Amino acid sequence: MGVLDIFTSIKTKAENFLNEKNVVTDFLGKLEEKTGIKKKIIAFGAVSLTGLYLVYGYGASLLCNLIGFVYPAYYSIKAIESTSKEDDTKWLTYWVVYGVFSLGEFFSDIFLYWFPFYYAFKCLFLLWCMAPMSWNGSQIIYNRVVRPIFLRHEAMVDNIVSDLGGKAMDAAENLTREVLSTLVKNKALVSPAPTASQSEPKSLPSSSSAKVAPSEPEEEKQLFR
């Protein structure tokens, strides 16, 4: 496939996208009604301004990451809600490649950041990975790089994940036991000790003590008898 064929395919895909019913085309349609400018021209101008901003603008990293996230996230949600499995596989493949690329970029970004037009090339790479065509970047990178490495080390990775999962569960159980024992000890220290009056039950009065003492005249009668 030559360069001209590639540009023709991209142009056809872009026109088909502009003719679809989605959030972007609805917004472009409203702009076309208000300004009288065709959607194609507005889209081309927006793409051109975005490219210039990625080269010279401040915060190009944020814009590039949004481009690589928002559009795929939107169509991933649509793929989840649809009954077809092909679009699920397509966008899962993209997110795997996106994750691998982000992991590699974490270690190389400090050096690649100083290259001119870095974010413009990064944005073009992400657009190539999400391009709605059979030779998009995510399919090629996954089938030629990610999948062979994964199949070669799948058993080792499964063992590592299983060991880490078991250790994490053991650590969580030990931590839970320590927290519960600490709470029980603190509760025992904070609760007040019972006083003597509360600990000793009050005794009921006996029958002998309940008798009424004799009155004074009765005592005198007993003495004179």
Side-chain angles (χ1 to χ4, degrees), residues 30-171:
K30 293 179 180 179
L31 289 178
E32 183 179 5
E33 293 176 358
K34 293 182 178 180
T35 60
I37 303 173
K38 294 183 178 180
K39 290 190 294 185
K40 296 180 181 179
I41 299 175
I42 296 174
F44 179 77
V47 171
S48 301
L49 290 176
T50 303
L52 291 174
Y53 188 84
L54 288 172
V55 175
Y56 302 106
Y58 177 77
S61 175
L62 177 61
L63 179 60
C64 184
N65 291 328
L66 286 175
I67 292 173
F69 175 79
V70 174
Y71 177 83
Y74 173 73
Y75 276 94
S76 296
I77 295 172
K78 291 188 68 174
I80 293 172
E81 297 298 328
S82 66
T83 57
S84 176
K85 297 296 182 182
E86 295 180 359
D87 48 2
D88 297 349
T89 304
K90 171 186 174 182
W91 290 112
L92 281 173
T93 305
Y94 171 81
W95 288 117
V96 169
V97 175
Y98 182 83
V100 173
F101 173 76
S102 299
L103 183 63
E105 187 187 27
F106 176 79
F107 298 100
S108 61
D109 188 45
I110 189 173
F111 305 105
L112 297 176
Y113 175 80
W114 299 101
F115 281 82
F117 314 123
Y118 167 65
Y119 289 112
F121 285 112
K122 177 184 175 181
C123 186
L124 289 175
F125 171 77
L126 293 176
L127 289 174
W128 175 53
C129 288
M130 70 178 76
M133 52 191 67
S134 59
W135 49 271
N136 64 0
S138 59
Q139 296 290 336
I140 294 175
I141 294 174
Y142 178 80
N143 291 323
R144 295 185 180 181
V145 180
V146 178
R147 188 171 182 272
I149 294 175
F150 173 77
L151 294 177
R152 193 180 307 125
H153 303 284
E154 182 179 3
M156 182 183 67
V157 173
D158 289 340
N159 293 330
I160 293 174
V161 172
S162 179
D163 294 340
L164 291 177
K167 292 179 180 178
M169 290 296 295
D170 294 339

